[in-house]
Amino acid sequence: MAERVRIDGLQYSNWSRAIFEEMRAAGLDAVHVTAAYWESARELMANIGAWHRRFEAHADLIMPIRTAADIDRAKASGRTGIILGLQNCSPIEDSIDLVSVFKQLDVHIMQLSYNNQSLLCSGYLEDDDSGLSRFGREAIREMNRVGMVVDTSHTAERSTLEAIEYSSRPTVVSHANPQSVRDTPRNKSERVMRALAESGGLMGFSCYPFHLPARSDTTLEAFTEMVARAVDVMGVSHLAIGTDLCQDQPIEVLSWMRNGHWARVMDYGEGSADQPDWPAPLGWLRGAADFPNIEQGLEKRGFSSPEVDALIGGNWRRFLDGALQPQG
């Protein structure tokens, strides 16, 4: 029997050797990390350069992922593979050619929008969801061609459904939860969940408290109950984990995530003026080192060993095996 693969489908932490050591202690074989939110092409290039320095300085702990087979190599060498991704399309600016440029630089996943209207489609915080733009359709076609995964985690409902339908390859929601457990537009409706599964896509469960039924007070038992209910909707083969951990990040980074360059007044996103800071962490997931608690919670819930294998990383590994390859 193959050894279990553990993959976290989204983190944006204040990267340090201590965090990489936590990843290794947790047995994480790969982590999808955010390389940009509101950055331009030039700023993303600088962020990729910073990752190259980390790969050199911490080569005993982390390595870059270029193909899904690299995840296996990372596991075999006792390291965590780093999958670079974008939480917004802003780095491609208005140039379709930058999609292939960034793919060549090992950027493998891109969200079509981050909260706001982008050149590609609507973010979930917009009052009006206009769906995919002409540029959005062209961007998806190019992402499909080069093997860059379409991610609609922060994208509005109509835009998400249109992206799923238009994409010739399966798409992902790397980090979100069902709206049935917390009715916020940041989470995904059953209609989206079913469309995602029917198209061969994947949804990663978020552990960000604002996406959970009781926010920071959500128990591990409630989390695994949410997983079980989602399995009834999508099937176990279309679900995974995307914790959305933002470990050791100061409030200034949270403000940047919410406001970028676009706002002169403070936008609190899913927070409020009364709660402007990060939500309190979950008692069972305070950092990357606690990732095994999810695995143990799923086992305690009664999921079979093959089901836990799939949810904790096997589905990500299988999905990426085809998704990261250019179209033939």
Side-chain angles (χ1 to χ4, degrees):
M1 185 175 65
E3 190 177 350
R4 183 169 289 169
V5 176
R6 297 170 177 86
I7 299 175
D8 191 344
L10 199 283
Q11 290 189 23
Y12 179 60
S13 294
N14 187 7
W15 306 110
S16 65
R17 186 169 181 84
I19 289 178
F20 299 145
E21 288 172 341
E22 285 196 34
M23 289 178 175
R24 291 310 313 138
L28 280 165
D29 301 306
V31 175
H32 166 213
V33 306
T34 298
Y37 280 95
W38 305 102
E39 284 90 338
S40 65
R42 174 65 180 82
E43 290 168 328
L44 172 58
M45 293 287 286
N47 291 349
I48 293 171
W51 271 108
H52 287 185
R53 288 175 180 263
R54 294 184 188 112
F55 292 137
E56 181 180 359
H58 309 290
D60 57 323
L61 296 174
I62 59 172
M63 61 172 277
I65 296 299
R66 297 188 171 90
T67 68
D70 285 331
I71 297 172
D72 304 329
R73 284 188 274 273
K75 183 177 186 62
S77 64
R79 292 180 289 174
T80 300
I82 301 298
I83 305 165
L84 297 179
L86 311 178
Q87 287 220 46
N88 198 358
C89 65
S90 60
I92 70 169
E93 301 179 6
D94 59 357
S95 174
I96 196 70
D97 290 333
L98 288 180
V99 173
S100 63
V101 169
F102 291 135
K103 172 63 178 182
Q104 290 296 314
L105 295 172
D106 299 325
V107 175
H108 298 300
I109 301 172
M110 183 172 77
Q111 287 185 198
L112 302 183
S113 55
Y114 185 76
N115 298 355
N116 291 357
Q117 181 74 36
S118 74
L119 289 178
L120 308 188
C121 68
S122 294
Y124 84 95
L125 284 176
E126 295 291 351
D127 293 331
D128 298 310
D129 181 1
S130 58
L132 292 179
S133 66
R134 291 193 298 163
F135 184 34
R137 291 191 290 272
E138 288 299 310
I140 289 174
R141 286 177 59 189
E142 182 68 354
M143 292 170 73
N144 289 165
R145 184 185 74 84
V146 304
M148 184 182 290
V149 177
V150 174
D151 187 350
T152 56
S153 295
H154 285 254
T155 300
E157 172 111 345
R158 174 186 167 187
S159 294
T160 296
L161 289 166
E162 289 186 6
I164 293 169
E165 182 178 6
Y166 189 80
S167 179
S168 64
R169 306 179 77 167
T171 66
V172 303
V173 171
S174 62
H175 58 298
N177 293 326
Q179 283 182 351
S180 60
V181 300
R182 187 166 191 83
D183 190 10
T184 165
R186 175 60 180 81
N187 282 337
K188 298 303 179 183
S189 70
E190 189 168 307
R191 183 182 179 191
V192 165
M193 293 168 66
R194 291 189 184 279
L196 196 64
E198 289 167 4
S199 65
L202 194 68
M203 185 171 87
F205 292 103
S206 169
C207 298
Y208 190 60
F210 287 149
H211 307 158
L212 292 168
R215 297 199 173 199
S216 300
D217 295 326
T218 301
T219 63
L220 182 56
E221 291 74 20
F223 180 84
T224 58
E225 168 67 17
M226 174 182 72
V227 174
R229 291 169 61 182
V231 167
D232 291 338
V233 176
M234 295 181 68
V236 74
S237 61
H238 299 288
L239 294 165
I241 304 296
T243 61
D244 204 8
L245 273 174
C246 296
Q247 196 170 342
D248 296 345
Q249 292 284 22
I251 190 173
E252 290 79 12
V253 167
L254 181 60
S255 297
W256 158 251
M257 291 161 61
R258 291 168 170 171
N259 293 271
H261 303 294
W262 67 273
R264 291 186 64 184
V265 297
M266 180 61 68
D267 182 272
Y268 293 103
E270 296 169 286
S272 65
D274 294 330
Q275 189 179 2
D277 209 335
W278 297 99
L282 299 166
W284 45 272
L285 191 72
R286 296 184 177 277
D290 289 337
F291 191 84
N293 290 338
I294 300 174
E295 187 172 345
Q296 293 161 15
L298 293 171
E299 291 169 342
K300 185 177 180 181
R301 171 75 197 178
F303 286 99
S304 68
S305 183
E307 289 173 330
V308 177
D309 288 347
L311 291 165
I312 214 70
N315 287 339
W316 268 120
R317 172 64 183 84
R318 173 185 47 79
F319 180 90
L320 293 172
D321 193 39
L324 300 190
Q325 297 295 325
Q327 276 182 331

